[in-house]
Amino acid sequence: MLMILLSSIDFSLPLQNPVIIFSLVLFIILFAPIIFNKIKVPHIIGLIIAGVIVGPYGLNLLKRDSSIVLFGTVGLLYIMFLAGLEIDLAEFKKNRKRILIFGLLTFLFPLVFGTLASYFVLGYGFLSSLLLASMFSTHTLVSYPIASKYGVTRNRAISMTVGGTMITDILALLILAGIAGMTKEGVSSAFWLQLGLSTGIFVGTVFAVFPIIIRWFFKHFEDSISQYIFVLAMVFLASFLAEVAGIEAIIGAFFSGLVLNKFVPHTSPLMNRIDFVGNALFIPFFLLSVGMLVDVSVLVKGWAALKVAGVILFVALVTKYLAAVLTQKIFKLSATEGKMIFGLSSSHAAATLAIILVGYNIITGETASGEPIRLLNEDVLNGTILLILVSCGVSSFIVEDASKRMALDQDQEGANGSTEQLDEKILVSLAYPDMVTQLVDFGIMLKQKKDITSIYGLNIIDDENEASNAVNSKKILGKALSHAAASENNVIPITRYDSSISNGIVYTIKEHNVSDVVIGLHNQADQHTFLGTKAESIIKRVYETIYIYKPTQPLNTFKRIVVAVPPKAETEPGFLHWLRKLMMIAKEAGIPLNFYATDYTNRLIKRIMDRSPEVINVNFTEFHNWDDFLIFSRELKPDDLFIIISSRKGYSSYVPQFNKLPYYLSHYFLKQSLILLYPKQLESGINMGDVEQSNSELIETISDQIDAIGKAGKYVKGLFKTK
């Protein structure tokens, strides 16, 4: 019976049954990385080799048909999209000159030396040599997922390489367009004018129109599936528009990642879904499709093929290495960063193949026997296929090693961090079901990158309607847990029974040594009960940092953070803590900070930020007249997050105008997203004059201490290097 059933299924090679094909591909994606990791081979190479084995030049199990090409193209675009999405925009802008220089170096070195080698060593014509050399200049970020796996994608070396990829690929593809036009006798000034105009329209559309559409969508649709589908749609729309403009789709995918960067926080559930689907399905398909192109038989097709392959391999790898080393020397990067630049920029795949295939398909004439004369012959095509396999292998091994070293360095830097950062515990008070996701997202934003920072989700059940409150508590905490888990964050649920909600929150804070408290602003806020009696009681009895958050739109849709800082805020014990948290939020969200404070406070904040490793766009405005607080109603825009640094009554930065805040906020800022931030204070009974003096002295000298520690670290590092 079984034999009869099997006989009805077509097992001829290559396989035709779509169920069998997809099943085989999934098993390859599952087991290839496991098998090759056991022999210390990066999983990316494992998938490429698996593609070689099952492809048409191997066992011929799978045909590189339209379905493989489709998923492979999606995977390539996904890699470029992730590169734009995960890049540190602040670091990217900071290093834009370095990116430009590296992009030109990694383009010109292969182009010049490749043209000379092709012309004089291989004997090709000038146009053929130039086109072949432009292929050397390109590179594909095949090994980028390795760096992403180790969590080092925000390193400056990776930002430089990603940016340089765009520069060199665009220039190489422009050469391709020009040569293709010349061979068809269709290139003219009108051709270049049209290309420049269409490219300008494309760039303007992506960077000016796309953000408006994206912000509107995220404001009105919170469904996770809809958001993910929308992101994919924008990526492929940008890729399509790039092709319409006459440039490669990978450029559009990268640009869409840059635009979506500030709308998709790196700690969000949406980011986790994007990473998961890409690394589980689309990117492995792309790597398999690359492997299926490789014909290992080129090694036995005579000396001509071997000579071409040898020259291609030598020139492509050596020139990329020279560009990486020179970039490292010019900008005084570490050896690991130089190795990372070479590793990422040495792999050739998509753009390389596109250039060679175009050159191979351009026919410039015929032989006496009627054979077509191609701009690039079959030897070049075979040599390029071999280059793809070897360069991806070299790239994977180098990036794997460099990523491990970078991750280790990051861990050591984190281990040397302050004990305050290590002991942080964040409590999110969850009382309103419609605010759970916003409060959890904000709590995750406050969390340090290290896993040791704990987040507690608290729901208090009081004596009134205890049974129904217990049911609601389970729903609220369940929603918080699932939302946090979607971004691979862990929220510790706490359900507490107490006769008083404020007592329950206060005692939980003390029992767990909480450092930061997040409370949602209740829905019935007015000028008389703006904070509510529970929140007011907590503020009076708790001396840790408190954030009272009123969200009117998602965190990822803000354009600015506007911070109103009272005079003498720098004298409060919690000044450095809340400043560090705001810097973290601004960097994570990729939006600028705008401080409104006295001239002295602004200068002090600027001095601290200038010496911080965090790269943030910051603006300062002098403001000291809190009687004119309503000026903010004119300054603020709908997409601004308004943060008011308040103070508890009786402390140094408290101003009488804080008594009017409930009236102002409930009448003039109803539709504004805002946070009332109460800095950490010392317990009552301590001489506040001494505290202000000591804290001011600490703030005045902290920048000098940072510089001294940095110099000492460099000196010790130099001693070790000398030894």
Side-chain angles (χ1 to χ4, degrees):
M1 184 66 180
L2 179 61
M3 296 301 295
I4 295 174
L5 292 174
L6 290 175
S7 64
S8 63
I9 301 176
D10 183 10
F11 286 103
S12 60
L13 298 181
L15 296 173
Q16 302 295 325
N17 188 298
V19 177
I20 298 176
I21 292 174
F22 200 74
S23 177
L24 177 61
V25 169
L26 291 180
F27 277 112
I28 292 172
I29 294 173
L30 175 63
F31 288 110
I34 298 174
I35 295 171
F36 284 94
N37 280 338
K38 289 184 179 294
I39 56 176
K40 306 300 181 184
V41 174
H43 71 283
I44 283 179
I45 284 298
L47 287 168
I48 293 176
I49 294 176
V52 176
I53 295 172
V54 303
Y57 301 107
L59 299 178
N60 197 28
L61 295 178
L62 298 178
K63 181 182 178 182
R64 195 174 187 271
D65 57 10
S66 58
S67 61
I68 298 294
V69 173
L70 172 63
F71 278 96
T73 303
V74 171
L76 171 62
L77 296 179
Y78 215 98
I79 289 177
M80 300 307 300
F81 161 59
L82 283 178
L85 188 65
E86 295 183 348
I87 199 171
D88 188 334
L89 287 179
E91 194 75 32
F92 189 82
K93 292 176 182 177
K94 178 184 176 183
N95 293 312
R96 57 185 178 271
K97 292 182 180 178
R98 297 181 178 185
I99 290 170
L100 178 61
I101 292 174
F102 167 70
L104 292 176
L105 287 176
T106 198
F107 171 74
L108 291 175
F109 271 47
L111 184 71
V112 173
F113 289 104
T115 302
L116 294 175
S118 301
Y119 190 80
F120 291 104
V121 178
L122 298 179
Y124 294 137
F126 176 72
L127 283 183
S128 299
S129 299
L130 184 61
L131 185 60
L132 180 57
S134 69
M135 177 271 286
F136 298 153
S137 298
T138 66
H139 57 258
T140 304
L141 299 173
V142 171
S143 299
Y144 184 85
I146 295 177
S148 179
K149 181 183 69 173
Y150 283 95
V152 295
T153 54
R154 306 200 115 185
N155 181 276
R156 59 182 177 176
I158 297 177
S159 297
M160 289 171 60
T161 312
V162 171
T165 302
M166 294 300 100
I167 294 173
T168 187
D169 282 0
I170 288 174
L171 293 176
L173 293 170
L174 286 175
I175 290 178
L176 172 63
I179 292 177
M182 292 173 67
T183 57
K184 297 175 183 177
E185 299 181 355
V187 70
S188 64
S189 57
F191 167 79
W192 294 108
L193 180 63
Q194 179 183 350
L195 181 62
L197 183 62
S198 61
T199 301
I201 294 173
F202 160 71
V203 172
T205 302
V206 172
F207 286 98
V209 179
F210 273 35
I212 298 173
I213 300 172
I214 294 168
R215 182 171 282 107
W216 175 86
F217 187 89
F218 282 134
K219 277 185 178 181
H220 294 85
F221 298 91
E222 296 184 6
D223 177 66
S224 57
I225 297 176
S226 299
Q227 288 186 350
Y228 178 76
I229 298 299
F230 171 75
V231 166
L232 279 189
M234 299 305 292
V235 172
F236 289 99
L237 176 60
S239 302
F240 169 72
L241 293 177
E243 289 188 332
V244 171
I247 56 179
E248 278 295 307
I250 56 175
I251 309 298
F254 177 73
F255 283 177
S256 68
L258 290 178
V259 172
L260 282 159
N261 188 295
K262 58 186 176 182
F263 294 100
V264 184
H266 291 79
T267 56
S268 66
L270 179 57
M271 185 68 192
N272 189 49
R273 293 185 184 96
I274 291 171
D275 276 333
F276 174 78
V277 175
N279 291 315
L281 192 61
F282 293 136
I283 295 175
F285 254 104
F286 165 67
L287 298 173
L288 281 172
S289 70
V290 170
M292 294 171 70
L293 287 170
V294 176
D295 183 4
V296 293
S297 65
V298 298
L299 297 174
V300 294
K301 286 190 175 180
W303 287 107
L306 287 176
K307 179 183 177 181
V308 173
V311 171
I312 287 176
L313 283 170
F314 179 80
V315 174
L317 293 176
V318 170
T319 53
K320 288 293 184 181
Y321 177 76
L322 290 175
V325 170
L326 188 57
T327 302
Q328 176 193 341
K329 300 296 183 184
I330 291 174
F331 300 115
K332 298 179 180 179
L333 304 177
S334 68
T336 302
E337 289 174 321
K339 182 182 289 187
M340 176 64 79
I341 292 175
F342 171 60
L344 285 175
S345 64
S346 61
S347 55
H348 294 69
T352 299
L353 190 62
I355 290 174
I356 293 304
L357 288 176
V358 170
Y360 181 75
N361 290 325
I362 293 177
I363 299 174
T364 59
E366 290 184 358
T367 64
S369 60
E371 293 292 327
I373 300 175
R374 302 180 183 275
L375 189 63
L376 296 177
N377 59 27
E378 190 175 7
D379 289 340
V380 174
L381 181 62
N382 291 330
T384 303
I385 297 301
L386 190 61
L387 171 65
I388 291 174
L389 178 61
V390 174
S391 65
C392 289
V394 171
S395 173
S396 298
F397 280 107
I398 293 176
V399 172
E400 181 93 23
D401 182 63
S403 297
K404 288 179 181 178
R405 294 176 183 271
M406 284 184 176
L408 183 61
D409 291 341
Q410 287 183 1
D411 290 341
Q412 289 176 347
E413 290 175 6
N416 294 330
S418 66
T419 55
E420 179 197 7
Q421 293 180 3
L422 299 182
D423 293 339
E424 286 182 353
K425 295 180 180 179
I426 300 166
L427 177 71
V428 181
S429 177
L430 303 171
Y432 310 112
D434 57 337
M435 293 177 62
V436 169
T437 57
Q438 292 95 327
L439 294 179
V440 170
D441 285 340
F442 184 72
I444 292 173
M445 278 276 197
L446 295 176
K447 180 182 178 182
Q448 292 294 318
K449 292 182 180 179
K450 301 303 176 185
D451 293 334
I452 48 181
T453 303
S454 300
I455 302 179
Y456 298 95
L458 173 66
N459 183 263
I460 306 296
I461 300 176
D462 57 13
D463 293 337
E464 186 178 353
N465 299 323
E466 181 177 323
S468 61
N469 288 341
V471 175
N472 291 332
S473 177
K474 289 182 179 180
K475 292 181 180 179
I476 289 174
L477 291 178
K479 185 176 181 180
L481 289 174
S482 61
H483 185 73
S487 59
E488 295 187 349
N489 283 283
N490 182 36
V491 171
I492 303 171
I494 299 176
T495 302
R496 190 181 188 109
Y497 290 82
D498 204 300
S499 58
S500 167
I501 292 179
S502 59
N503 283 344
I505 296 175
V506 170
Y507 294 145
T508 304
I509 292 170
K510 295 181 181 297
E511 289 169 3
H512 293 276
N513 295 319
V514 169
S515 60
D516 297 83
V517 184
V518 179
I519 301 174
L521 187 62
H522 71 111
N523 299 326
Q524 289 78 34
D526 57 40
Q527 61 174 318
H528 302 294
T529 60
F530 185 75
L531 296 179
T533 55
K534 301 179 184 67
E536 290 177 351
S537 174
I538 294 167
I539 293 168
K540 292 177 182 177
R541 298 166 60 188
V542 173
Y543 297 94
E544 303 301 329
T545 308
I546 298 177
Y547 310 81
I548 299 180
Y549 183 30
K550 174 196 168 189
T552 60
Q553 64 189 70
L555 270 170
N556 60 333
T557 60
F558 292 120
K559 290 184 178 179
R560 297 189 306 167
I561 298 178
V562 177
V563 187
V565 186
K568 296 185 178 182
E570 66 277 1
T571 64
E572 302 281 12
F575 173 72
L576 289 175
H577 180 78
W578 66 254
L579 180 60
R580 179 168 56 83
K581 290 296 185 184
L582 295 192
M583 291 168 62
M584 184 192 311
I585 293 171
K587 183 175 177 63
E588 181 67 26
I591 50 181
L593 273 169
N594 295 263
F595 286 97
Y596 285 74
T598 62
D599 181 61
Y600 176 77
T601 303
N602 279 336
R603 283 189 287 109
L604 193 58
I605 293 174
K606 186 177 186 303
R607 188 179 177 192
I608 294 171
M609 287 191 166
D610 287 343
R611 286 164 170 79
S612 169
E614 304 289 337
V615 183
I616 304 169
N617 185 3
V618 187
N619 300 296
F620 297 93
T621 303
E622 186 175 355
F623 178 76
H624 49 79
N625 186 10
W626 280 72
D627 284 325
D628 195 20
F629 183 81
L630 290 181
I631 190 175
F632 288 110
S633 64
R634 300 189 298 272
E635 293 288 332
L636 290 169
K637 299 175 182 178
D639 294 320
D640 289 344
L641 173 61
F642 188 28
I643 299 180
I644 305 166
I645 309 300
S646 188
S647 180
R648 297 162 180 84
K649 198 166 186 176
Y651 287 87
S652 57
S653 65
Y654 183 84
V655 293
Q657 289 81 359
F658 282 157
N659 291 326
K660 300 178 182 178
L661 275 182
Y663 175 79
Y664 290 149
L665 297 178
S666 60
H667 280 75
Y668 301 100
F669 301 88
L670 276 175
K671 297 182 179 180
Q672 194 73 49
S673 291
L674 57 89
I675 295 174
L676 281 173
L677 195 156
Y678 290 84
K680 177 181 179 179
Q681 300 286 1
L682 300 180
E683 296 284 349
S684 57
I686 297 176
N687 189 326
M688 292 308 298
D690 294 339
V691 171
E692 290 180 27
Q693 181 180 358
S694 62
N695 202 52
S696 297
E697 292 173 355
L698 171 65
I699 298 298
E700 285 291 338
T701 59
I702 189 168
S703 300
D704 298 329
Q705 291 175 0
I706 292 173
D707 287 343
I709 292 171
K711 291 177 181 178
K714 290 180 180 178
Y715 176 73
V716 173
K717 188 176 181 180
L719 289 178
F720 279 107
K721 284 187 176 180
T722 303
K723 291 182 180 180

